[in-house]
Amino acid sequence: MSEPGAPRPRFDNLSDWLDWQERFHIRPIDLGLERVGRVADLMGLRPASAPVITVGGTNGKGSTVAFLEAIYRAAGYRVGVYTSPHLLRYNERIRLQGEPVGDGPLCEAFAAIDRARDNISLSYFEFGTLAALWLFRREAMDVILLEVGLGGRLDAVNILDAHVAVVTSVGIDHQSWLGEDREAIGFEKAGIFRGEQPAVCGDMDPPRRLLEHAASLDTPLALAGSDFHPGPVAENGVWDYHGMGMTLTALPPPGLAGSVQRGNAATAITAALLLEDQVPLTERAVREGIAQARLAGRYQCLQQDPAVWVDVAHNPQGARILGGHLADEPVKGRTLAVMAVMADKDVPGILEPLRSLVDAWYLGALDVPRALAPEELAVHLEGAAPVQIQASVAEACEAALLQASPGDRIIVFGSFHTVAAVLQAPFPWADAPLKSA
């Protein structure tokens, strides 16, 4: 509903707002803080309306945010979360108290931005970021969790000063925007650090430039492996957290699947402990949150026997993590891979850790301009296991299901779009609700 006396909103439905935003700005990706920062100031969105944890990194961002969200919700706090990209609906990007925001509030937020922006052009991602901050302020959130969209230093979420900044990992991805090596990419991701404000790095081998940037700002930096780490896993799946001068024993298995999630959970616990002077926590909330965290598309099992797993892995580091999951959990039968990937990705680097683990490949087309044609992807798989090409990812998954036997498993991966195509298709799991934390 419009404010009394306010001009009529440009659009009255979310679809029209999003279509317009995709065409409005001259560049789909336009990194920089000046324009979005000016509009944020015109809207009174700075400083932040609540303590902020900003989470960046090549992989593990979404999982770390999911753990933090679940921990704070278990403690009874009102939690606002902004993540990207989405899987099925744009509304997933903004969560209020664990629920995706509705169309109506999003339209109100976009109308408020449009009124305030004073002819300043904004990108699709910048509109979304400002909408999240406007809604978090209006709904009086107790804590705000922001996931970096691309890089960190020039990403729109960096218009707010993080009370705690987190870099989960540093790998090779988005080289045309962030640089060709881990040192350059690490510096960009460290751009969310602030002087004398605590930060966390979950990468066991942090780039030198990330460490140097933290030192230049006098940023207290907690490092995985030296300042905190997860302990060994017991037979019943429980584990210990060691760090920040304390040990939390017999923590429950993380609610997200895969051995890597203990590291992400430990990173989240460290960030929460560093914010405890502003947002106090109980050990009970930490335990409940670790167990209750949920996140669609991150090594998520959709059905059993044949098992179907989906994972948004779309870069070499993510593929190595996925390969580790597959190797850690061998199956009696075959592993069938359903894959589609974007054309700007390091396809050989993604395939390398998975070739020896996959017995057959099923490739499908994506209706996305950036997508690599399955025929071109097949070239990279010459000499590997058998390859089938289908007209779509959904048809590739259907072919894998038809040819799977009991004891086999199917892994769907390559991009958010790939996973979304399978989640949306009329398979038995399609009616399952999309859960977050």
Side-chain angles (χ1 to χ4, degrees):
M1 183 178 295
S2 301
E3 299 173 8
R8 183 178 177 83
R10 186 181 300 270
F11 304 105
D12 60 6
N13 66 83
L14 182 58
S15 178
D16 286 346
W17 272 113
L18 296 177
D19 287 345
W20 175 71
Q21 289 171 26
E22 287 182 328
R23 294 178 282 103
F24 175 61
H25 194 62
I26 190 171
R27 299 183 187 91
I29 299 175
D30 194 3
L31 298 178
L33 305 182
E34 181 181 355
R35 290 173 297 100
V36 66
R38 285 169 58 198
V39 178
D41 290 337
L42 289 170
M43 299 178 71
L45 299 179
R46 295 197 288 191
S49 58
V52 174
I53 299 179
T54 300
V55 181
T58 305
N59 294 290
K61 299 188 298 291
S63 298
T64 301
V65 168
F67 284 121
L68 284 165
E69 180 181 21
I71 288 169
Y72 284 122
R73 291 195 63 218
Y77 291 110
R78 294 174 55 78
V79 187
V81 178
Y82 178 55
T83 65
S84 65
H86 59 275
L87 272 173
L88 303 182
R89 298 178 63 228
Y90 183 93
N91 309 61
E92 299 162 27
R93 295 180 178 226
I94 302 174
R95 295 197 295 272
L96 305 172
Q97 288 296 82
E99 295 297 328
V101 67
D103 286 10
L106 264 174
C107 290
E108 291 179 64
F110 289 147
I113 296 164
D114 199 25
R115 289 193 300 269
R117 65 184 177 83
D118 193 27
N119 291 321
I120 297 170
S121 183
L122 296 169
S123 70
Y124 180 89
F125 185 78
E126 290 166 343
F127 266 103
T129 303
L130 292 169
L133 302 185
W134 186 84
L135 287 163
F136 297 158
R137 181 174 291 271
R138 189 179 76 166
E139 300 299 322
M141 295 293 105
D142 297 318
V143 61
I144 293 171
L145 307 176
L146 303 177
E147 179 186 344
V148 172
L150 180 61
R153 182 174 64 93
L154 298 176
D155 187 85
V157 303
N158 205 29
I159 60 173
L160 288 189
D161 294 329
H163 296 82
V164 178
V166 179
V167 174
T168 56
S169 65
V170 180
I172 304 299
D173 201 4
H174 302 296
Q175 296 96 306
S176 58
W177 298 100
L178 306 180
E180 292 297 326
D181 56 35
R182 289 184 76 245
E183 291 296 330
I185 294 170
F187 174 75
E188 291 296 325
K189 294 188 182 301
I192 62 175
F193 296 169
R194 294 295 189 270
E196 301 182 357
Q197 292 287 349
V200 184
C201 181
D203 195 306
M204 296 290 286
D205 182 26
R208 173 184 50 81
R209 289 188 67 188
L210 180 147
L211 300 175
E212 290 176 348
H213 187 63
S216 73
L217 295 173
D218 291 325
T219 296
L221 181 60
L223 294 172
S226 55
D227 297 309
F228 69 94
H229 64 91
V233 184
E235 288 186 8
N236 59 356
V238 302
W239 59 289
D240 299 342
Y241 166 86
H242 305 279
M244 312 312 293
M246 69 168 60
T247 295
L248 300 175
T249 60
L251 291 171
L256 305 180
S259 59
V260 70
Q261 295 300 351
R262 289 189 300 278
N264 289 330
T267 299
I269 291 171
T270 304
L273 291 174
L274 288 170
L275 194 64
E276 216 180 358
D277 59 335
Q278 298 179 68
V279 190
L281 288 171
T282 63
E283 185 173 327
R284 177 197 60 78
V286 173
R287 292 179 179 279
E288 290 184 6
I290 294 303
Q292 293 171 0
R294 300 290 184 272
L295 186 62
R298 275 64 164 192
Y299 197 54
Q300 177 188 6
C301 186
L302 302 181
Q303 75 167 39
Q304 297 286 353
D305 207 17
V308 177
W309 294 81
V310 294
D311 193 283
V312 296
H314 57 274
N315 54 50
Q317 186 184 58
R320 287 194 297 273
I321 293 170
L322 175 58
H325 295 330
L326 299 179
D328 288 344
E329 301 171 6
V331 293
K332 294 179 181 178
R334 300 172 301 158
T335 296
L336 314 179
V338 176
M339 184 182 180
V341 69
M342 298 298 107
D344 58 350
K345 297 300 179 181
D346 177 5
V347 176
I350 294 171
L351 293 175
E352 190 275 330
L354 298 168
R355 285 179 182 271
S356 63
L357 300 169
V358 173
D359 298 294
W361 296 86
Y362 298 79
L363 313 181
L366 283 170
D367 187 19
V368 179
R370 290 173 49 224
L372 183 69
E375 293 80 7
E376 295 180 56
L377 177 54
V379 173
H380 293 277
L381 288 165
E382 288 180 355
V387 176
Q388 285 192 28
I389 295 176
Q390 301 291 335
S392 69
V393 167
E395 290 173 75
C397 187
E398 183 176 14
L401 282 166
L402 288 171
Q403 295 177 23
S405 302
D408 290 349
R409 68 178 163 194
I410 298 168
I411 177 66
V412 180
F413 77 102
S415 78
F416 279 78
H417 297 288
T418 308
V419 171
V422 169
L423 291 177
Q424 289 174 310
F427 293 116
W429 54 77
D431 293 331
L434 182 64
K435 296 289 186 182
S436 53

